[in-house]
Amino acid sequence: MAELSDVRFLTVAEVADIMRVSKMTVYRLVHSGELPAVRFGRSYRVPETAVTAALQRPVADVG
């Protein structure tokens, strides 16, 4: 397992830019548990590895 010092945390705004979604969408993913995050004070930080994993997941076929 990676050491905590090896983990890079991203802000919600950075995650939104990387995933090309709104910040509100990132907050929804965090609150639903689909995207793990750590709360620092009043803000959230998302491990970069979690963002990478989320982007590699297949998208559900809706319709």
Side-chain angles (χ1 to χ4, degrees), residues 2-44:
E3 292 291 321
L4 192 56
S5 62
D6 296 337
V7 178
R8 180 164 179 240
F9 289 96
L10 304 171
T11 65
V12 169
E14 290 171 329
V15 174
D17 284 343
I18 292 168
M19 296 181 79
R20 296 182 184 229
V21 297
S22 70
K23 290 192 294 185
M24 184 53 69
T25 299
V26 176
Y27 283 117
R28 284 190 194 112
L29 292 169
V30 168
H31 289 293
S32 71
E34 291 182 56
L35 193 60
V38 179
R39 189 148 189 192
F40 288 103
R42 294 179 56 187
S43 62
Y44 288 94

